[in-house]
Amino acid sequence: MNNSELKQQLEKLVGAENVCDEMAERICYSRDCGPDKAGIPDIVVKPGSTEEVAEVVKLANKIKKAVYTWGRATTFLGSGVPQGCILLSTTRLNKILKIDPDTISVTVQAGVIWHSIDAELNKDGWELFIPGGGGLFSGTVGGSVAVNVIPHAITEYGMTGDHILGLEVVLPDGTIMRTGASANPACQPVERYANGPDVTGLFLGAYGTLGIITEITYRIRKIPEVEQFAFYAFDDYKKAAEAVNEIQKEGAATFVIGLFAGPKPKDVEGEAFIHIIVRDSKREASYRLDQAKRCCEAFNGTAHDAFGTKKYWEDHMYSWLRNVAPGPYYAGAPYMCPEVAGFMPTLQLKDSLALLYKYIEDHKAEFEKHDILIKGFDAYFTRNGVYLWIDTLYNEMKEDSWEYGLKLRGKLCDLMYGEGKMAAGGLGAGVAPHAMPKLGSYFTFLKQLKKTMDPNNVLNPGVLFLS
Ligand SMILES: Cc1cc2nc3c(=O)[nH]c(=O)nc-3n(C[C@H](O)[C@H](O)[C@H](O)COP(=O)(O)OP(=O)(O)OC[C@H]3O[C@@H](n4cnc5c(N)ncnc54)[C@H](O)[C@@H]3O)c2cc1C
């Protein structure tokens, strides 16, 4: 089928105004927020319902053409848009379907922006169970679930996927399936772990390779009474890691973020810094903040003004993590970030950071030559470990800096997923080739699963290095 026949077929499925093959538009649907260049789709299609998504996928199977699902492309790890694919944008799947205080949940279509759900819930004193990641103002809920975003407040509330009660998914052959309790059409989506094995999990972190998520039911919570903040500096990063580990054991914080390397927060001495956010009832919050204080002081942490912590939390602007307003922080643009990120136990940080510091020291001259900056190693502490972002920056105006930046990402992946004892969390087309082959039989299993579920390899081929 040539492109003009394809356009006609798609127009029949979703309406002419929702199909576009103009080059100018197609170019906009290629790269995500990261450094990887990707292909340009042949055609962009915007279905308005789950049934329309299913029809597009069935057509793609018939003509054996790749479909790439596009949320808002706010990932940093490589979109992996295949050259000449059908690009399926979820932008019209933008309805909040049901806010249900009785089942303490909200059901939305996949293209809704994370924060707009919260804005709606906030009117009645509710919020999403997870505040979302830093991309909450721009990323869709479908995209965030598909990558299983590392959320803010992860120290107490856990991962994005932990609070999903059920999904509606279009499978690679175009079948529409519901997961969790509402797989039984007689039941509402009240519990994910219903009806045998948990199939919901297959689609979390699958980056759209195993199905297109069209609806999500998510837990909601009452907005806590207060939010309190603290900020500590440490002379020794190993002590900072130990202090946080004690905070985790005490359950003293809703969110702890550690800052290592990179520019230091303004007007503060030290080698490592931690921001602490506690959300709770008034009484519990002061008690927990006091516990956190004791943990920090036991490891020589010194308290400083938490103005930057509060601003970061309220604005969700990373710049405040280093106590500076957005202007000065981003003034060095156009620096772009080929990040490497992943999970490890909190105390493993002591050895893994030592490796990273040594790597930087050994490559100082090369970094200078290729205009590479270290934005910092930022740590989101989870309930029992840490998610470390290794943020190096390259200068996008310089080809050699870009090229070196991407090679550096590969080298850091190899270092950290090996000797650094880190498990990849963020994948995407750019990082998956370094991470997946290290997984042995798990990788073999995923490849087999992809082959079985998607024999024509139509959904996001190549994105997770599975096909
Ligand atoms: C300022 C900023 C801060 C950020 N902070 C964080 C952070 O703190 N933590 C974090 O983890 N990430 C963070 N990110 C990354 C980003 O926000 C998330 O990855 C994001 O929410 C993805 O949503 P999206 O709609 O942009 O998805 P996209 O980038 O469009 O898609 C991501 C992947 O999911 C697939 N996909 C998209 N929609 C669907 C669907 N409906 N069904 C199946 N597959 C789908 C795509 O094909 C792709 O493989 C940040 C981004 C920005 C810009």
Side-chain angles (χ1 to χ4, degrees):
M1 186 181 289
N2 64 36
N3 281 353
S4 95
E5 287 165 341
L6 173 62
K7 188 170 179 225
Q8 282 174 13
Q9 291 283 324
L10 289 170
E11 283 175 353
K12 273 193 212 150
L13 298 179
V14 304
E17 66 282 16
N18 299 311
V19 180
C20 184
D21 62 354
E22 298 287 335
M23 183 52 127
E25 173 134 350
R26 290 190 282 131
I27 287 176
C28 298
Y29 292 95
S30 173
R31 212 175 133 183
D32 63 1
C33 290
D36 299 275
K37 294 171 185 169
I40 298 174
D42 273 351
I43 199 148
V44 176
V45 56
K46 297 178 181 171
S49 67
T50 302
E51 289 69 26
E52 288 183 4
V53 172
E55 289 309 313
V56 172
V57 172
K58 281 181 193 160
L59 175 64
N61 271 284
K62 209 157 116 192
I63 61 173
K64 306 227 177 348
K65 198 168 175 81
V67 176
Y68 182 87
T69 307
W70 182 272
R72 302 263 298 193
T74 63
T75 38
F76 290 88
L77 300 155
S79 69
V81 172
Q83 181 66 29
C85 67
I86 299 171
L87 188 131
L88 187 151
S89 159
T90 59
T91 189
R92 289 179 63 227
L93 300 174
N94 59 2
K95 291 180 198 62
I96 296 174
L97 299 170
K98 189 175 183 187
I99 294 174
D100 188 356
D102 294 339
T103 58
I104 318 175
S105 67
V106 59
T107 300
V108 297
Q109 286 186 306
V112 182
I113 289 170
W114 195 273
H115 180 68
S116 63
I117 308 170
D118 249 337
E120 210 44 51
L121 290 169
N122 289 174
K123 290 178 189 166
D124 294 318
W126 293 95
E127 63 180 15
L128 279 161
F129 208 94
I130 286 285
L136 79 170
F137 293 112
S138 44
T140 65
V141 64
S144 303
V145 167
V147 309
N148 209 354
V149 151
I150 314 302
H152 291 174
I154 189 172
T155 320
E156 182 176 355
Y157 300 158
M159 284 291 286
T160 299
D162 292 346
H163 307 289
I164 291 173
L165 293 172
L167 299 174
E168 180 191 70
V169 183
V170 173
L171 296 175
D173 67 352
T175 304
I176 300 170
M177 179 179 83
R178 298 191 82 90
T179 70
S182 67
N184 175 353
C187 188
Q188 288 187 50
V190 285
E191 182 51 65
R192 170 169 158 189
Y193 301 100
N195 308 315
D198 169 39
V199 173
T200 309
L202 268 189
F203 304 97
L204 311 180
Y207 286 71
T209 54
L210 302 179
I212 300 177
I213 300 163
T214 47
E215 258 182 52
I216 297 108
T217 300
Y218 210 79
R219 285 185 205 279
I220 59 176
R221 67 159 79 239
K222 286 275 180 172
I223 298 173
E225 196 182 354
V226 294
E227 290 177 339
Q228 295 189 353
F229 308 94
F231 179 59
Y232 287 87
F234 295 80
D235 286 336
D236 177 351
Y237 65 87
K238 296 184 178 173
K239 297 263 181 228
E242 290 185 56
V244 178
N245 198 219
E246 291 309 308
I247 293 174
Q248 287 170 314
K249 287 179 199 166
E250 298 294 333
T254 306
F255 195 19
V256 184
I257 306 137
L259 307 179
F260 308 95
K264 302 205 166 164
K266 214 168 131 225
D267 303 330
V268 186
E269 292 296 316
E271 186 186 337
F273 310 89
I274 64 169
H275 292 280
I276 299 174
I277 295 141
V278 180
R279 310 178 80 225
D280 215 319
S281 68
K282 218 179 215 169
R283 217 181 86 198
E284 280 299 308
S286 350
Y287 175 72
R288 291 171 74 191
L289 216 52
D290 219 45
Q291 275 182 312
K293 178 173 181 255
R294 281 197 296 276
C295 297
C296 291
E297 287 179 351
F299 293 94
N300 304 332
T302 51
H304 292 269
D305 187 357
F307 173 76
T309 316
K310 184 168 187 295
K311 287 292 283 177
Y312 160 73
W313 179 256
E314 288 171 355
D315 299 354
H316 292 283
M317 285 295 263
Y318 283 92
S319 49
W320 287 113
L321 281 174
R322 287 173 202 268
N323 290 14
V324 287
Y329 190 70
Y330 292 112
Y335 280 94
M336 300 287 286
C337 180
E339 78 188 15
V340 176
F343 296 101
M344 64 180 76
T346 302
L347 294 182
Q348 173 64 36
L349 261 185
K350 297 198 280 185
D351 291 341
S352 301
L353 284 173
L355 261 184
L356 282 170
Y357 285 128
K358 180 167 183 328
Y359 191 93
I360 297 176
E361 193 53 40
D362 292 349
H363 293 79
K364 232 178 184 166
E366 274 186 28
F367 285 7
E368 217 159 281
K369 182 171 163 214
H370 296 290
D371 206 357
I372 300 292
L373 303 178
I374 306 294
K375 180 171 154 230
F377 309 144
D378 296 347
Y380 280 13
F381 289 94
T382 66
R383 287 169 290 202
N384 58 335
V386 57
Y387 189 80
L388 184 68
W389 314 87
I390 301 161
D391 287 344
T392 53
L393 303 175
Y394 70 93
N395 184 342
E396 185 151 274
M397 300 304 279
K398 296 184 183 168
E399 265 308 321
D400 78 295
S401 181
W402 194 334
E403 210 175 291
Y404 185 87
L406 284 177
K407 273 195 201 137
L408 175 62
R409 178 179 68 186
K411 286 188 178 155
L412 288 174
C413 282
D414 292 338
L415 178 73
M416 295 309 287
Y417 301 150
E419 208 180 336
K421 300 191 177 164
M422 183 162 101
L427 287 159
V431 171
H434 298 281
M436 301 306 269
K438 295 191 169 53
L439 306 183
S441 54
Y442 189 79
F443 183 40
T444 311
F445 173 78
L446 286 180
K447 281 200 288 191
Q448 195 56 48
L449 188 66
K450 170 73 175 163
K451 214 171 174 178
T452 309
M453 286 178 68
D454 188 4
N456 293 326
N457 201 19
V458 289
L459 290 194
N460 283 11
V463 169
L464 279 193
F465 203 56
L466 298 179
S467 49

